[in-house]
Amino acid sequence: MFRRLITLEEAEGIIIKNLKVAPLGIEEVDILEACGRVLAVDVVSGIDVPPFNRSTVDGYAVRSEDTFGADENNPIRLRVCGAVSVGEVPKISIGRGEAVEIMTGAPIPDGADAVVMSEHAERMDNEVYIYRAVTKYANIMKAGSDIKRGETVLTEGMVLGAREIGALAAIGLSKVKVYKVPRVAVLSTGAEVTEPGKPLESGKIYDINAYSLSVAVKECGGNPIYLGVFPDDALTIEKALKKALSDADVVITSGGVSVGPKDLIPRVLNTLGDPGVVVCGVAIKPGKPTTVAIIGDKPVFALPGHPASALLVFYLLVRPIIMGLAGRKPKEETIKAIASTRMFSDKGRKTFVMVNVKKDERGRLLADPVSTGLSGAITTLLKADGFIEIPENQQFIDVGEEVVVHLFREL
Ligand code: AMP
Ligand code: MG
């Protein structure tokens, strides 16, 4: 069977044209449940943080001008007229020549404009000797100096982590509006594919793709739903795909998309609804048999069976869609490096070469193809830091040429 292969860019264009890639909705969750979720709104603070001027040390609240001239040899004596503890409103205010004992985190009493640390003061009954002068606002965190009421603290699209959730707590929010997480059904095909944990019969292999793809889905903000392994049987696959489409927003399959007699995914996909298969083969290496269908408003990505091909095509075509549905801004880590050796392309196909990035003796970054380089080998991906592209119309990248490495992970 001859297939006219479309380019990767054409495939991307067709998918975007047939699919609305926008967040799937908004829900409110407890801040403790919000880790890794994407903020759906800008968050504006309703309060000042801290809400009042507070002491950042244990010591004595004073009028700074009363301490001017104080040093180790000439302490200045102030009258202690009370104490403020944390969590209470000061009932005292201080006047000239007075001080109030204060704890870290307690509100500054009226009249005081600085705090002398305990280490620089010596208490004698109702008096305190100040051994170091302080300037105005010394050891005071002013109301709103951290966050001002009305200030935008977090912006839509941020992925929430420890620091962001701490900020939400600081302004008193226990819940937060986040985008719904896209549900992504993941299923494997092939009579030889066996779930890990089960004994391996002869002629069989363990399922890699369902696991690597599920984790890749998670890493870009989706919720993977593992549906299992299905034999290459049209009826069984049709049933599995129908269930996947009813349970999930996106479906990912692997295997069964080449031109072998058992590769029937594209045929089944074309019976499930309109517009059906929109991409059937892409001029890339690896990943040529990649097939994409849109059924109603849901995409089905039928990826090649070879583990490295499946994951590479995930990064190229699937990841941006899942990120878009999750409300994440697609972001790609790339670095420039120098080709360590000549790397050849496959004529007429955009070729992706898995590479390691390492430093040479002169400190330059080198892109070095991983040794196996086979799309069927999981170790190809395991060893790779990222990949480089050789355009369709280029035969090779020469040793010493500058290349852009798309990173799988930060170096
Ligand atoms: P296929 O496209 O179904 O012909 O599969 C291509 C190659 O990938 C075959 O060697 C399959 O055994 C292998 N393969 C298919 N699915 C998986 C999977 N889920 N995990 C590991 N290898 C697979
Ligand atoms: Mg197969």
Side-chain angles (χ1 to χ4, degrees), residues 333-345:
E333 304 272 353
T334 59
I335 52 159
K336 288 192 175 141
I338 290 163
S340 70
T341 173
R342 185 178 280 191
M343 294 177 238
F344 289 92
S345 74

Side-chain angles (χ1 to χ4, degrees), residues 34-80:
C35 181
R37 301 294 298 268
V38 184
L39 194 58
V41 291
D42 289 348
V43 174
V44 175
S45 179
I47 60 167
D48 279 336
V49 181
F52 49 85
N53 293 340
R54 74 177 174 199
S55 178
T56 60
V57 296
D58 292 324
Y60 293 87
V62 298
R63 293 153 36 101
S64 53
E65 60 183 52
D66 289 353
T67 69
F68 291 168
D71 65 28
E72 291 294 325
N73 302 317
N74 301 293
I76 281 171
R77 198 174 51 166
L78 300 174
R79 193 175 71 80
V80 179

Side-chain angles (χ1 to χ4, degrees), residues 186-189 193 205-216 226 252-255 303-311 375-376 378 381:
V186 179
L187 56 94
S188 298
T189 67
V193 179
I205 56 164
Y206 282 123
D207 186 357
I208 298 170
N209 297 342
Y211 296 87
S212 57
L213 292 169
S214 292
V215 173
Y226 172 61
I252 302 177
T253 71
S254 65
L303 307 183
H306 291 300
S309 312
L311 206 48
S375 54
I378 184 70
L381 284 172

Side-chain angles (χ1 to χ4, degrees), residues 4-17:
R4 189 192 85 80
L5 298 179
I6 58 172
T7 65
L8 181 63
E9 292 71 24
E10 282 172 323
E12 287 163 345
I14 291 170
I15 296 167
I16 297 299
K17 206 181 81 193

